[in-house]
Amino acid sequence: VEVSIAQRFVLFLGYPTLSLSVVLFSFLLSSGIGSLLSPRLLKGPLARRSAVAAAAVAILLVIYYATLTGVLDRTHSYPTGVKSLIAFAAIFPLGFLMGVPFPTGLLMVKERRPDAVPWMWGVNGISSFAGALLVIMVAIKWGFHLSLPAAALLYGGVAVLSARMGAGLREGGEGGPSGG
């Protein structure tokens, strides 16, 4: 998501370094705030929190896919400082929501398998690297315009898996429907 959004903002902001700085700052700040505030804003079981946030990210990505280019085209002539604020404002809701699933997932793992938490950090690091490569491969093969819908599908999958995990825990206790 970050690579695709950064690519969209390069032309808008006019400078690749500025675009990368604004996009990374916006995502890091907003996802950190989302991670910090999610326990207070999203109530209920952890799996439900993760499912709701991932579904909201998927929906927001579809909205961005449909509207972001138009917004950027209409505001392209604004001064660089104003465009940087527009970029921040556009990224903040997405980053905020993207800050919820990973820490929520870590809490779920910590409750069930505390010894697996370091592995989840490793999986997160590898996934971040693989995701950046994957978006480049998708962009080369089909264009950057498909990276946001692809990310929406992946976040939708996370929402479904989180919801199923929560349902399995309710039905069968620890470990899912079979209890194992």
Short mmCIF file of all heavy atoms in Angstrom, two decimals, residues 45-48 51 108 111-112 159-180:
data_model
loop_
_atom_site.label_atom_id
_atom_site.label_comp_id
_atom_site.label_asym_id
_atom_site.label_seq_id
_atom_site.Cartn_x
_atom_site.Cartn_y
_atom_site.Cartn_z
N PRO A 45 -13.83 -8.50 21.17
CA PRO A 45 -12.72 -9.45 21.07
C PRO A 45 -11.67 -8.98 20.07
O PRO A 45 -11.97 -8.28 19.10
CB PRO A 45 -13.39 -10.74 20.59
CG PRO A 45 -14.85 -10.56 20.84
CD PRO A 45 -15.12 -9.10 20.83
N LEU A 46 -10.44 -9.41 20.30
CA LEU A 46 -9.33 -9.00 19.45
C LEU A 46 -9.55 -9.38 17.99
O LEU A 46 -9.25 -8.60 17.08
CB LEU A 46 -8.03 -9.60 19.96
CG LEU A 46 -7.55 -9.09 21.32
CD1 LEU A 46 -6.35 -9.89 21.80
CD2 LEU A 46 -7.22 -7.62 21.25
N ALA A 47 -10.04 -10.59 17.73
CA ALA A 47 -10.26 -11.02 16.35
C ALA A 47 -11.26 -10.11 15.66
O ALA A 47 -11.11 -9.79 14.48
CB ALA A 47 -10.73 -12.47 16.31
N ARG A 48 -12.27 -9.66 16.39
CA ARG A 48 -13.27 -8.75 15.81
C ARG A 48 -12.63 -7.40 15.49
O ARG A 48 -12.88 -6.82 14.43
CB ARG A 48 -14.43 -8.57 16.77
CG ARG A 48 -15.52 -7.66 16.22
CD ARG A 48 -16.71 -7.58 17.19
NE ARG A 48 -17.68 -6.64 16.71
CZ ARG A 48 -17.64 -5.31 16.95
NH1 ARG A 48 -16.67 -4.79 17.66
NH2 ARG A 48 -18.56 -4.52 16.46
N ALA A 51 -10.62 -7.83 12.37
CA ALA A 51 -11.50 -8.00 11.21
C ALA A 51 -12.12 -6.67 10.79
O ALA A 51 -12.17 -6.35 9.59
CB ALA A 51 -12.59 -9.03 11.52
N MET A 108 -3.33 -11.25 20.06
CA MET A 108 -3.98 -12.57 19.95
C MET A 108 -2.95 -13.68 20.08
O MET A 108 -3.19 -14.68 20.76
CB MET A 108 -4.73 -12.69 18.62
CG MET A 108 -5.98 -11.84 18.55
SD MET A 108 -7.04 -12.15 17.12
CE MET A 108 -6.01 -11.68 15.75
N GLU A 111 -1.73 -14.01 23.71
CA GLU A 111 -2.69 -14.69 24.59
C GLU A 111 -2.61 -16.21 24.46
O GLU A 111 -2.79 -16.93 25.43
CB GLU A 111 -4.12 -14.26 24.25
CG GLU A 111 -4.51 -12.91 24.76
CD GLU A 111 -5.95 -12.55 24.39
OE1 GLU A 111 -6.61 -13.32 23.64
OE2 GLU A 111 -6.41 -11.50 24.85
N ARG A 112 -2.37 -16.69 23.23
CA ARG A 112 -2.44 -18.13 22.97
C ARG A 112 -1.07 -18.81 22.93
O ARG A 112 -0.94 -19.95 23.34
CB ARG A 112 -3.17 -18.37 21.65
CG ARG A 112 -4.64 -18.04 21.79
CD ARG A 112 -5.30 -17.89 20.42
NE ARG A 112 -6.64 -17.37 20.54
CZ ARG A 112 -6.95 -16.08 20.66
NH1 ARG A 112 -6.00 -15.18 20.70
NH2 ARG A 112 -8.19 -15.69 20.76
N ALA A 159 -9.50 -9.67 6.85
CA ALA A 159 -10.75 -9.47 7.58
C ALA A 159 -11.52 -10.78 7.72
O ALA A 159 -12.01 -11.11 8.81
CB ALA A 159 -11.62 -8.42 6.87
N VAL A 160 -11.61 -11.53 6.64
CA VAL A 160 -12.32 -12.81 6.67
C VAL A 160 -11.62 -13.79 7.62
O VAL A 160 -12.27 -14.45 8.45
CB VAL A 160 -12.46 -13.40 5.25
CG1 VAL A 160 -12.96 -14.83 5.29
CG2 VAL A 160 -13.38 -12.54 4.41
N LEU A 161 -10.30 -13.89 7.50
CA LEU A 161 -9.56 -14.81 8.37
C LEU A 161 -9.68 -14.41 9.85
O LEU A 161 -9.85 -15.28 10.71
CB LEU A 161 -8.10 -14.86 7.96
CG LEU A 161 -7.80 -15.55 6.64
CD1 LEU A 161 -6.33 -15.39 6.27
CD2 LEU A 161 -8.18 -17.03 6.69
N SER A 162 -9.62 -13.13 10.13
CA SER A 162 -9.77 -12.66 11.51
C SER A 162 -11.16 -12.98 12.05
O SER A 162 -11.30 -13.43 13.19
CB SER A 162 -9.51 -11.16 11.62
OG SER A 162 -8.16 -10.87 11.32
N ALA A 163 -12.16 -12.74 11.23
CA ALA A 163 -13.54 -13.03 11.66
C ALA A 163 -13.72 -14.53 11.90
O ALA A 163 -14.35 -14.94 12.89
CB ALA A 163 -14.53 -12.53 10.61
N ARG A 164 -13.16 -15.33 11.02
CA ARG A 164 -13.25 -16.80 11.19
C ARG A 164 -12.50 -17.25 12.42
O ARG A 164 -12.94 -18.15 13.13
CB ARG A 164 -12.73 -17.51 9.95
CG ARG A 164 -13.69 -17.38 8.78
CD ARG A 164 -13.27 -18.27 7.69
NE ARG A 164 -13.25 -19.63 8.21
CZ ARG A 164 -13.50 -20.70 7.51
NH1 ARG A 164 -13.79 -20.59 6.25
NH2 ARG A 164 -13.45 -21.90 8.05
N MET A 165 -11.36 -16.63 12.68
CA MET A 165 -10.59 -16.98 13.87
C MET A 165 -11.42 -16.68 15.12
O MET A 165 -11.49 -17.49 16.04
CB MET A 165 -9.28 -16.22 13.91
CG MET A 165 -8.48 -16.49 15.18
SD MET A 165 -6.98 -15.50 15.25
CE MET A 165 -5.88 -16.66 14.48
N GLY A 166 -12.05 -15.53 15.13
CA GLY A 166 -12.89 -15.16 16.27
C GLY A 166 -14.07 -16.09 16.43
O GLY A 166 -14.40 -16.50 17.54
N ALA A 167 -14.70 -16.48 15.32
CA ALA A 167 -15.83 -17.40 15.38
C ALA A 167 -15.37 -18.77 15.86
O ALA A 167 -16.04 -19.42 16.66
CB ALA A 167 -16.51 -17.51 14.01
N GLY A 168 -14.21 -19.21 15.38
CA GLY A 168 -13.68 -20.51 15.79
C GLY A 168 -13.37 -20.55 17.27
O GLY A 168 -13.60 -21.55 17.94
N LEU A 169 -12.85 -19.46 17.80
CA LEU A 169 -12.54 -19.42 19.23
C LEU A 169 -13.81 -19.44 20.06
O LEU A 169 -13.85 -20.03 21.11
CB LEU A 169 -11.71 -18.19 19.55
CG LEU A 169 -10.27 -18.23 19.03
CD1 LEU A 169 -9.58 -16.89 19.27
CD2 LEU A 169 -9.49 -19.36 19.65
N ARG A 170 -14.87 -18.80 19.58
CA ARG A 170 -16.13 -18.81 20.32
C ARG A 170 -16.75 -20.20 20.30
O ARG A 170 -17.31 -20.66 21.27
CB ARG A 170 -17.10 -17.79 19.73
CG ARG A 170 -16.81 -16.36 20.14
CD ARG A 170 -17.94 -15.44 19.76
NE ARG A 170 -18.20 -15.43 18.34
CZ ARG A 170 -17.54 -14.71 17.43
NH1 ARG A 170 -16.54 -13.95 17.82
NH2 ARG A 170 -17.86 -14.74 16.17
N GLU A 171 -16.65 -20.89 19.15
CA GLU A 171 -17.28 -22.22 19.01
C GLU A 171 -16.52 -23.30 19.77
O GLU A 171 -17.10 -24.11 20.44
CB GLU A 171 -17.35 -22.62 17.53
CG GLU A 171 -18.31 -21.79 16.73
CD GLU A 171 -18.17 -22.09 15.23
OE1 GLU A 171 -17.53 -23.10 14.88
OE2 GLU A 171 -18.71 -21.32 14.44
N GLY A 172 -15.20 -23.33 19.57
CA GLY A 172 -14.45 -24.47 20.06
C GLY A 172 -13.43 -24.17 21.12
O GLY A 172 -12.66 -25.04 21.48
N GLY A 173 -13.39 -22.95 21.60
CA GLY A 173 -12.41 -22.63 22.63
C GLY A 173 -11.05 -22.41 22.02
O GLY A 173 -10.90 -22.08 20.88
N GLU A 174 -10.03 -22.64 22.82
CA GLU A 174 -8.65 -22.41 22.43
C GLU A 174 -8.28 -23.18 21.17
O GLU A 174 -8.50 -24.36 21.07
CB GLU A 174 -7.71 -22.84 23.57
CG GLU A 174 -6.29 -22.47 23.37
CD GLU A 174 -5.99 -21.09 23.89
OE1 GLU A 174 -6.74 -20.59 24.71
OE2 GLU A 174 -4.98 -20.52 23.45
N GLY A 175 -7.75 -22.48 20.17
CA GLY A 175 -7.23 -23.15 18.98
C GLY A 175 -8.21 -23.32 17.86
O GLY A 175 -7.85 -23.84 16.82
N GLY A 176 -9.47 -22.97 18.01
CA GLY A 176 -10.40 -23.06 16.89
C GLY A 176 -11.49 -24.08 17.13
O GLY A 176 -11.63 -24.64 18.21
N PRO A 177 -12.30 -24.40 16.10
CA PRO A 177 -13.45 -25.25 16.24
C PRO A 177 -13.12 -26.64 16.77
O PRO A 177 -13.88 -27.23 17.52
CB PRO A 177 -14.04 -25.34 14.83
CG PRO A 177 -13.53 -24.12 14.14
CD PRO A 177 -12.21 -23.82 14.77
N SER A 178 -11.97 -27.19 16.39
CA SER A 178 -11.64 -28.54 16.83
C SER A 178 -11.00 -28.54 18.22
O SER A 178 -10.79 -29.59 18.81
CB SER A 178 -10.67 -29.20 15.83
OG SER A 178 -9.45 -28.50 15.83
N GLY A 179 -10.68 -27.34 18.71
CA GLY A 179 -10.07 -27.23 20.02
C GLY A 179 -8.58 -27.54 20.00
O GLY A 179 -7.92 -27.48 21.01
N GLY A 180 -7.99 -27.81 18.81
CA GLY A 180 -6.59 -28.21 18.76
C GLY A 180 -5.68 -27.16 18.23
O GLY A 180 -5.97 -26.09 17.93
#
